[in-house]
Amino acid sequence: MKKAILVFFIISFTLILGSCGHDGGLLFEGKGKDWTAKLVATYDIWGKENQSIKVTYVGDKLNEFSDFDIFVESPDFLGWGLEDLELDENGDYFSERVFMLDEKTPSTTDITLRIEGEVPETIKLTTASLQ
């Protein structure tokens, strides 16, 4: 009997997790003159949002870089920033789970990414659903 209850619990828990996984999250993207950016909002099983960020330098001064800062601003959540970042050899910076929210960011929100440093730029990020 205990094994049957355990199997039932495991199957039920798996089904609950599977049903929560259909909301793949949101992808906010933008492109500027020297930078591209992606902010990904994913959701855990409790509905909390985790944001990750990827920025790529597409300009022609990659070898002249030392460090840079990024700041994310939106009217729908408290903004956040990261400082003293370094690009990899391909011109990319990626960070998982840089910010967590209790509520989901609306897909219609305005998100602005400000890059400060040797090649500053401000990029508006627009949304697309994650598949």
Side-chain angles (χ1 to χ4, degrees):
M1 184 67 174
K2 289 183 181 180
K3 286 185 179 181
I5 292 172
L6 181 62
V7 169
F8 176 75
F9 176 75
I10 291 172
I11 291 172
S12 298
F13 188 70
T14 304
L15 290 173
I16 290 170
L17 286 178
S19 67
C20 292
H22 292 297
D23 191 0
L26 291 172
L27 170 65
F28 296 91
E29 298 180 291
K31 184 175 182 177
K33 178 181 176 266
D34 292 308
W35 296 89
T36 63
K38 294 180 182 181
L39 184 138
V40 179
T42 56
Y43 314 109
D44 64 20
I45 61 172
W46 297 277
K48 294 188 184 237
E49 178 177 291
N50 294 298
Q51 293 182 354
S52 61
I53 189 84
K54 179 180 181 185
V55 294
T56 302
Y57 179 70
V58 294
D60 57 2
K61 298 179 182 179
L62 181 59
N63 296 331
E64 300 173 22
F65 257 90
S66 58
D67 62 9
F68 64 102
D69 306 328
I70 58 176
F71 300 96
V72 174
E73 301 166 348
S74 171
D76 291 305
F77 59 81
L78 182 64
W80 53 267
L82 301 170
E83 297 178 324
D84 300 324
L85 306 176
E86 294 182 13
L87 298 172
D88 67 14
E89 64 275 356
N90 299 317
D92 295 323
Y93 172 81
F94 175 74
S95 183
E96 276 189 88
R97 295 185 179 183
V98 291
F99 195 69
M100 180 182 266
L101 299 166
D102 289 333
E103 297 180 12
K104 295 179 180 180
T105 300
S107 62
T108 57
T109 193
D110 292 323
I111 296 179
T112 302
L113 175 74
R114 247 183 30 249
I115 300 170
E116 295 181 358
E118 296 170 35
V119 184
E121 191 159 32
T122 299
I123 301 170
K124 181 179 177 181
L125 304 181
T126 57
T127 187
S129 292
L130 288 176
Q131 299 299 328

